[in-house]
Amino acid sequence: MSTQEIRFSGFGGQGIIRCALITGKALALYDDKFATMTQAFGPEARGSACAAQLVVSDERVLYPYITHPGILMALSQEAYDKYYSELPKGGTLIVEQELVKLRSDHPDLRLMRVPATRYAEELGNRLFTNLVALGFFTAVTNVVTADAMKKALPGLVPERFLKINIKAFDKGYEHGIQMMNQKTGGAVS
Amino acid sequence: MKTVTADPKGVDSGPHFMDGDHALAEGALAAGCRFFAGYPITPSTETAERFAERAPEVGAMFIQMEDELASIAALIGGAWGGQKCMTVTCGPGFSLMTENLGLACMTETPMVIANVQRGGPSTGLPTLTAQQDMMQARYGPHGDNMIIALCPDSPQECFDLTVEAFNLSEFYRVPVIILTDETVGHMHEKVVIPPADQIKVVPRNNYNGPKEDCRPYKFDSQGGHPMVRAGDGYNFHITGLTHNEKGYPAMTAEQSKVVVTHLMEKINGNADKIIRLDEDQIDGADVVVVSYGITSRIAVKAIQDARKEGIKVGSLRLITIWPFCEKRIRELAPKVKAFVVPEINYGQMVKEVERCAGGRKVISVNHCGGAVHDPQVILDAIRKAIQ
């Protein structure tokens, strides 16, 4: 990996910005990468849609914004509708499978669906949706290590919910690994 | 500059994934700032929030004032009360601060002001980036005065340069302005805060000699003169009027020459000691790109692409904006074909480069704000420069 551009998106309250912060911290502090995180601050960030961007590289990131995102995580219909067309052929599209109705089966993309909200509800609260999705993201993208992600959590999730957030992460991670095994026979592309 | 190691109480040592605004607050606390007065304004508010959150554990004071006029006035009072002081704002707030910024210059009151620039004029683009206040920082207040301004290109430099800003401010007894921008302010990156014993800070220098020798001012065009702390028992006077070394009004042409010369020359005369530049492959370059802040990172991308095309291009990044590095530009001018100056404004620092370029071609790559440059535009200017 030289440079990877990732967009996390969904609706306000899902913890989208938190997803980018956790991933950025994991990469920059524990995976020895350079990571630059930006988020939309305009009026568009005040409504229902929400997005945060991460540029990850082995070298110092110069241009801080994303121009050619290779990975999109969309946890809402609006986010999916707004951003999926940015992905190039072969790009990775991760969607919340019960919240996003696909407009196509996206034969040109690496489509990965995760029932993050349902898993979070099974753990007791849909607030953990973002961590389930992050676990899934970690398993299917090979951008960041699960170990680094878990190390990044303290300080970014409330201390009393740390354990259950790790549980949510693991749930999504396991689902992702299972899916990878089915799709590729184990190899993570 | 006499330095001591930082007070560990204010230093949150270790690696962080932090935005530039928060790094400004951490830099201030590490440098020993214990008084912050401000008024929230996008995109600088996060600095105030961070300082306010950390103030109780560090033993610092945070006041949200009624506006920016009051904020900088509080800093002047805080500084003469013995504290290292900071405020943050952006263009509209900085406009309101300029009157008392002039008072701070005239009264030689140390303080650090961070301007997290957003697009203007007026209220302009509250949430979007710009570098349009470069000249305002230098020429905002009326009358002849001189400040120091620094320009970070990353959250890490927001921390590092805030510490440096306080050190310069304390030594030269001058407001130091950090000219950052929305992009750097809101961008999260790795920030490593060193252990307290590796951070050098210039401590507040308060006069403690006999009462009859107490002078709040010494007009010798140098820094390093002690402040007098209000409440320490000394009788002294602080005024915006032209004054003598005791601080009392002395409104004559002769005294104005003494005071104004000192205010200008304590900075300009020490420019070589103050100015910091980041140079890359300048020797033998046909084109030198002069840039600063977030734009310098975008420029590096363009410079790398230009070098792949075989163009000999160097980079001169201004870490210190004011005083301007005129000596260095004059040295380089005869050796290069052209300067390229990208900046997120309609052409501000490019005027300074032109002034020193001795007739060499100077290409302005301006931008009206709201976004950073497309690196391609800078690359095109570099290509044009060698034609």
Side-chain angles (χ1 to χ4, degrees):
Chain A
M1 180 186 70
S2 53
T3 296
Q4 183 77 265
E5 299 183 357
I6 306 160
R7 190 190 300 278
F8 298 91
S9 60
F11 52 75
Q14 275 182 318
I16 297 300
I17 307 290
R18 195 74 14 179
C19 282
L21 277 174
I22 292 166
T23 312
K25 181 181 170 187
L27 286 159
L29 268 53
Y30 309 115
D31 266 354
D32 207 21
K33 301 281 183 191
F34 289 87
T36 300
M37 192 277 248
T38 56
Q39 52 187 300
F41 268 83
E44 72 275 17
R46 304 295 190 269
S48 58
C50 177
Q53 295 74 234
L54 198 59
V55 183
V56 186
S57 181
D58 294 323
E59 296 168 347
R60 188 184 183 207
V61 174
L62 296 171
Y63 194 84
Y65 299 108
I66 64 173
T67 49
H68 306 291
I71 301 170
L72 169 65
M73 185 165 99
L75 300 188
S76 75
Q77 187 68 41
E78 202 181 338
Y80 161 78
D81 288 343
K82 191 170 174 185
Y83 297 120
Y84 80 85
S85 60
E86 292 178 340
L87 285 172
K89 202 173 167 180
T92 299
L93 172 62
I94 298 169
V95 295
E96 209 299 336
Q97 73 182 41
E98 284 157 21
L99 296 179
V100 176
K101 193 164 170 273
L102 296 171
R103 295 186 179 273
S104 136
D105 53 3
H106 298 294
D108 288 349
L109 300 178
R110 205 168 148 254
L111 175 65
M112 300 295 210
R113 303 167 75 211
V114 56
T117 310
R118 181 154 53 82
Y119 280 151
E121 280 170 350
E122 282 169 20
L123 288 166
N125 197 324
R126 62 169 58 189
L127 283 175
F128 306 125
T129 301
N130 62 339
L131 261 293
V132 177
L134 266 190
F136 184 76
F137 162 88
T138 305
V140 303
T141 61
N142 210 23
V143 167
V144 61
T145 63
D147 196 36
M149 291 292 266
K150 288 182 195 177
K151 274 193 207 161
L153 290 177
L156 289 175
V157 299
E159 205 182 328
R160 63 201 170 104
F161 294 126
L162 181 59
K163 272 190 186 153
I164 189 137
N165 271 301
I166 291 175
K167 228 168 154 179
F169 179 89
D170 285 340
K171 188 81 190 167
Y173 187 78
E174 282 157 24
H175 186 81
I177 293 292
Q178 266 178 23
M179 193 176 268
M180 296 301 291
N181 287 339
Q182 283 165 14
K183 284 205 170 184
T184 65
V188 178
S189 63
Chain B
M1 274 192 261
K2 186 191 147 220
T3 59
V4 296
T5 58
D7 173 6
K9 216 164 49 172
V11 184
D12 191 8
S13 299
H16 303 263
F17 193 61
M18 188 182 272
D19 70 11
D21 279 0
H22 283 186
L24 292 170
E26 290 300 335
L29 290 164
C33 171
R34 296 293 180 265
F35 183 76
F36 187 112
Y39 187 78
I41 185 166
T42 302
S44 72
T45 306
E46 290 85 348
T47 306
E49 285 174 346
R50 180 82 170 196
F51 198 100
E53 195 185 319
R54 293 260 286 128
E57 62 195 64
V58 176
M61 183 180 281
F62 174 90
I63 309 181
Q64 182 173 319
M65 300 301 290
E66 64 268 35
D67 56 29
E68 288 86 350
L69 290 88
S71 300
I72 187 167
L75 260 53
I76 296 175
W80 286 98
Q83 293 294 346
K84 293 184 180 179
C85 305
M86 185 191 205
T87 191
V88 294
T89 190
C90 67
F94 198 90
S95 292
L96 294 178
M97 289 182 181
T98 46
E99 181 187 6
N100 272 334
L101 176 61
L103 179 62
C105 289
M106 184 57 146
T107 55
E108 300 188 57
T109 306
M111 62 176 61
V112 173
I113 305 168
N115 178 350
V116 186
Q117 296 171 91
R118 70 189 213 189
S122 188
T123 36
L125 301 166
T127 61
L128 299 176
T129 200
Q131 297 177 311
Q132 297 172 339
D133 307 338
M134 312 307 291
M135 289 291 166
Q136 183 194 33
R138 167 70 184 86
Y139 293 106
H142 57 271
D144 285 316
N145 55 66
M146 189 64 205
I147 47 87
I148 295 172
L150 309 175
C151 190
D153 74 345
S154 61
Q156 179 68 55
E157 269 198 356
C158 283
F159 176 85
D160 297 341
L161 293 188
T162 302
V163 174
E164 182 162 333
F166 272 98
N167 289 347
L168 291 166
S169 177
E170 288 297 320
F171 185 77
Y172 291 103
R173 281 183 51 183
V174 69
V176 177
I177 297 158
I178 299 171
L179 287 165
T180 183
D181 61 81
E182 187 277 334
T183 304
V184 172
H186 281 162
M187 166 202 294
H188 278 77
E189 284 186 342
K190 186 178 182 178
V191 174
V192 180
I193 299 181
D197 60 12
Q198 288 175 25
I199 300 173
K200 300 266 176 276
V201 303
V202 175
R204 173 57 56 89
N205 179 9
N206 283 320
Y207 179 77
N208 57 13
K211 281 187 178 179
E212 58 276 18
D213 296 336
C214 176
R215 300 283 184 279
Y217 299 105
K218 189 176 181 191
F219 305 115
D220 63 353
S221 302
Q222 294 302 323
H225 301 312
M227 295 277 286
V228 185
R229 185 166 62 180
D232 274 358
Y234 298 103
N235 293 325
F236 66 105
H237 194 257
I238 299 299
T239 176
L241 292 169
T242 301
H243 44 267
N244 61 25
E245 293 197 339
K246 286 184 172 176
Y248 287 96
M251 295 170 289
T252 63
E254 292 74 25
Q255 190 60 16
S256 187
K257 187 179 177 187
V258 169
V259 172
V260 171
T261 303
H262 168 71
L263 294 178
M264 301 302 289
E265 290 308 315
K266 72 175 175 179
I267 307 300
N268 290 337
N270 289 297
D272 286 348
K273 289 183 211 156
I274 295 168
I275 290 172
R276 278 182 53 198
L277 303 169
D278 179 11
E279 300 187 355
D280 179 50
Q281 298 189 34
I282 294 271
D283 287 341
D286 289 328
V287 182
V288 169
V289 177
V290 181
S291 61
Y292 52 88
I294 187 61
T295 306
S296 60
R297 290 171 60 154
I298 314 300
V300 171
K301 219 171 148 107
I303 289 166
Q304 287 171 350
D305 289 343
R307 284 176 186 157
K308 282 181 202 152
E309 295 177 10
I311 303 173
K312 287 184 194 159
V313 49
S315 168
L316 178 67
R317 178 166 77 93
L318 311 179
I319 298 171
T320 310
I321 297 292
W322 303 112
F324 182 69
C325 59
E326 51 183 77
K327 194 169 125 191
R328 186 66 181 132
I329 300 290
R330 287 188 209 286
E331 278 167 10
L332 292 174
K335 300 177 193 165
V336 303
K337 287 183 181 155
F339 294 96
V340 171
V341 189
E343 44 187 345
I344 311 176
N345 55 52
Y346 211 67
Q348 295 190 12
M349 297 310 290
V350 68
K351 302 285 195 303
E352 288 294 297
V353 178
E354 277 170 359
R355 181 171 67 81
C356 307
R360 279 289 186 277
K361 185 155 63 171
V362 179
I363 299 177
S364 170
V365 190
N366 60 22
H367 187 302
C368 293
V372 298
H373 286 78
D374 178 345
Q376 185 64 40
V377 178
I378 303 174
L379 177 61
D380 289 344
I382 294 170
R383 288 175 180 149
K384 211 168 99 188
I386 51 159
Q387 281 166 10

